């Protein structure tokens, strides 16, 4: 019986070591030995990660703006406003690092609003929440306007 030796790539063996290896090869301009397939996959995933982060932060921002506006629980206002501030800071920093995400903000707004609406309606069935976003969708407004004042 012959044994087949399966070669496991560095990427599969030790991700951190693979990253260090790729960085060293890039610094040394050693493009001949680069693991292009995995490098391309990793770079693509960075963009997807930023998009997912933007969606997540926007969803939480919308949830808490909705709660602050439509849920009559004054004892919770402070926590919701705090969360709104944190998400706005996070979105601002993300857009500063990747300004090309700004069109994506508008592109996913309706889908993210639908998700936020599903969450708040489930959590607060006694409260009314509008089917469509009732305030400005402009990025600057979303990051600066206190819609409840």
């Amino acid at each position: 019986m012959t044994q087949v030796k399966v070669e496991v790539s560095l990427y599969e063996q030790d991700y951190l070591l693979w990253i260090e290896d790729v960085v060293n090869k890039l610094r040394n301009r050693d493009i001949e030995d680069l693991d292009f397939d995995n490098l391309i996959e990793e770079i693509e995933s960075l963009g997807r990660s930023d998009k997912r982060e933007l969606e997540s932060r926007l969803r939480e921002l919308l949830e808490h703006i909705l709660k602050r506006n439509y849920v009559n629980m004054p004892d919770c206002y402070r926590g919701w406003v705090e969360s709104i501030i944190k998400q706005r800071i996070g979105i601002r920093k993300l857009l500063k690092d990747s300004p090309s995400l700004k069109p994506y903000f508008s592109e996913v707004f309706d889908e993210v609003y639908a998700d936020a609406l599903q969450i708040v309606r489930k959590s607060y069935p006694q409260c009314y929440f509008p089917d469509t976003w009732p305030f400005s969708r402009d990025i600057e407004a979303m990051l600066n306007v206190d819609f409840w004042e």
Side-chain angles (χ1 to χ4, degrees):
M1 179 183 246
T2 54
Q3 288 184 340
V4 177
K5 186 177 181 183
V6 177
E7 192 172 316
V8 179
S9 71
L10 182 58
Y11 180 80
E12 294 166 340
Q13 288 176 18
D14 188 330
Y15 182 71
L16 181 58
L17 188 58
W18 175 82
I19 289 175
E20 292 169 356
D21 181 62
V22 167
V23 168
N24 285 330
K25 286 175 180 169
L26 288 169
R27 280 195 178 117
N28 294 323
R29 310 295 193 259
D30 180 8
I31 60 170
E32 297 294 321
D33 295 320
L34 272 176
D35 177 0
F36 279 101
D37 292 336
N38 288 316
L39 180 57
I40 290 167
E41 185 178 317
E42 288 300 317
I43 291 173
E44 285 176 338
S45 75
L46 292 174
R48 286 191 301 269
S49 176
D50 280 355
K51 286 180 175 180
R52 280 192 303 271
E53 181 181 349
L54 179 61
E55 289 176 30
S56 176
R57 289 185 176 281
L58 178 57
R59 183 174 40 258
E60 186 151 340
L61 175 63
L62 294 174
E63 283 176 45
H64 288 106
I65 291 173
L66 285 170
K67 289 176 188 179
R68 179 59 186 83
N69 277 286
Y70 297 100
V71 178
N72 187 15
M73 295 176 71
D75 290 346
C76 297
Y77 290 173
R78 182 172 159 249
W80 292 332
V81 171
E82 208 171 272
S83 176
I84 289 166
I85 293 167
K86 288 177 184 176
Q87 295 313 316
R88 285 176 167 172
I89 290 168
I91 291 171
R92 220 177 268 115
K93 287 182 177 185
L94 189 59
L95 294 176
K96 181 181 177 191
D97 289 345
S98 300
S100 62
L101 279 173
K102 285 181 181 180
Y104 189 70
F105 182 97
S106 299
E107 183 182 320
V108 298
F109 192 94
D110 288 332
E111 180 182 338
V112 172
Y113 181 69
D115 294 341
L117 195 55
Q118 181 180 0
I119 292 166
V120 296
R121 282 181 171 165
K122 183 76 172 172
S123 298
Y124 301 94
Q126 74 282 10
C127 297
Y128 163 81
F129 297 100
D131 292 333
T132 57
W133 182 249
F135 309 110
S136 174
R137 298 164 170 252
D138 176 71
I139 293 174
E140 289 306 312
M142 290 299 302
L143 298 180
N144 296 295
V145 175
D146 293 337
F147 299 108
W148 54 91
E149 291 183 353

